[in-house]
């Protein structure tokens, strides 16, 4: 409805009080309430992967998924192949790449923002035009 894709179901949970050390790969949806010290990657073959990092969660490593929602702490680069949502308590220490970005007041990023252009060549990028106040 209204052009929004349905989100994949969250089938995996890393509960608060759980600490994982090592790299992870997942399909569909993953929610993290605990701590992960390693890289997290959604399967690129799957369309519509969802990663949710809750307010209490801490991730130290790189993140790669289609749709990433952050409300906790991430120390490492974040690569959202579609949408990156930063909730009010999101803290990211690392570079961020995304196709679309939604950032709520209070969220912070200490790193570079790199929008990903999907299917747009250098020649097709719109020119930046400044509006001047006429006298």
């Amino acid at each position: 409805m209204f052009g929004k894709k349905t989100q994949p179901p969250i089938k995996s949970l890393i509960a608060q009080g759980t600490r994982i050390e090592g790299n992870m790969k997942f399909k569909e949806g993953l929610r993290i309430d605990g701590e992960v010290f390693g890289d997290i990657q959604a399967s690129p073959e799957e369309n519509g992967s969802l990663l949710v990092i809750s307010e209490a969660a801490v991730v130290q490593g790189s993140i790669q998924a289609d749709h990433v929602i952050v409300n906790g702490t991430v120390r490492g680069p974040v690569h959202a192949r579609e949408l990156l949502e930063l909730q009010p308590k999101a803290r990211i220490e690392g570079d961020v790449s995304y196709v679309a970005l939604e950032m709520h007041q209070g969220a912070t990023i200490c790193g570079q923002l790199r929008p990903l252009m999907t299917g747009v060549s250098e020649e097709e990028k719109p020119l930046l035009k400044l509006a001047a106040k006429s006298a």
Side-chain angles (χ1 to χ4, degrees), residues 79-83 98-100 115-121 124-125:
H79 180 83
R81 293 186 288 254
E82 291 176 10
L83 173 63
Y98 56 89
V99 172
L116 300 171
M117 299 295 175
T118 56
V120 177
S121 69
E124 296 173 349
K125 287 183 183 177

Side-chain angles (χ1 to χ4, degrees), residues 13-46:
L13 169 68
I14 298 171
Q16 193 168 3
T18 302
R19 176 182 172 131
I20 294 185
E21 296 181 11
N23 298 337
M24 298 178 55
K25 290 187 179 184
F26 71 97
K27 292 182 180 181
E28 298 189 74
L30 169 65
R31 178 182 172 100
I32 300 173
D33 292 339
E35 297 176 317
V36 176
F37 292 86
D39 299 340
I40 303 171
Q41 181 180 4
S43 175
E45 300 88 38
E46 296 286 323

Side-chain angles (χ1 to χ4, degrees), residues 37 58-63 73-78 91-94:
F37 292 86
V58 175
V59 174
Q60 188 163 327
S62 68
I63 291 176
T73 301
V74 176
R75 294 184 189 99
V78 177
R91 302 284 176 265
I92 297 180
E93 298 171 13

